[in-house]
Amino acid sequence: MIHGIGTDVCDIRRIEATLQRRGDRFAEKVLGPNEIHVFRDRRAKAEKRGISYLATRFSAKEAFSKAIGLGMRMPMTWRACEILNERSGKPVVRLHGELADWFEARRLTAHVTVSDESEYAASFVVVEKNSTPE
């Protein structure tokens, strides 16, 4: 059964401007421990790739927060929710701490997709409630 659906469109130029104004502190606020490494690696290779990565993660976390119905209120925090990639490239949601406990207690599962073009990043999240305990 679907628990919630969230979507978000993010202007990559806005993320770039915020990063220029606030520096790496902005990325460190938004990205979790695994994501920050990917961001730095991509940015070192090509500035635009790093910025696009940050924008897709920002967008996906916004979409996830909408799908779970909390918005950016506890236990939902930027760093407690990571959008990582499987070896195949498929994006997946990985949760930490109180958010992971909250999510698991409700027997929820999340599915995420992200996309970006030159100026925009978009994300879509579907959160399902598992009908039987695992």
Side-chain angles (χ1 to χ4, degrees):
M1 175 169 67
I2 292 178
H3 173 83
I5 298 171
T7 189
D8 189 74
V9 177
C10 176
D11 189 329
I12 296 173
R13 296 165 298 186
R14 190 179 115 230
I15 297 296
E16 183 175 22
T18 302
L19 193 57
Q20 287 174 351
R21 255 190 343 270
R22 297 185 55 206
D24 283 354
R25 288 179 308 151
F26 175 66
E28 291 163 359
K29 176 184 175 184
V30 171
L31 300 175
N34 298 298
E35 294 168 317
I36 198 74
H37 295 299
V38 176
F39 166 72
R40 289 179 178 148
D41 287 346
R42 289 189 182 187
R43 192 174 180 201
K45 291 176 185 169
E47 183 76 13
K48 290 274 186 208
R49 284 189 68 210
I51 293 167
S52 290
Y53 179 83
L54 177 57
T56 58
R57 274 44 194 178
F58 183 93
S59 175
K61 292 174 189 204
E62 285 280 336
F64 178 79
S65 74
K66 294 169 186 175
I68 62 173
L70 291 177
M72 284 300 181
R73 292 189 322 255
M74 290 299 286
M76 176 63 196
T77 66
W78 293 108
R79 292 177 46 79
C81 174
E82 290 191 295
I83 312 302
L84 304 172
N85 293 88
E86 292 181 347
R87 292 183 98 155
S88 65
K90 176 186 173 186
V92 293
V93 176
R94 292 285 181 258
L95 305 176
H96 307 288
E98 290 180 44
L99 181 59
D101 296 341
W102 181 91
F103 198 75
E104 187 177 320
R106 285 158 182 76
R107 298 191 330 264
L108 301 175
T109 304
H111 307 278
V112 60
T113 186
V114 298
S115 184
D116 64 279
E117 277 297 327
S118 58
E119 296 178 359
Y120 297 97
S123 301
F124 190 77
V125 174
V126 175
V127 173
E128 294 179 292
K129 182 166 183 81
N130 300 318
S131 56
T132 57
E134 294 178 7

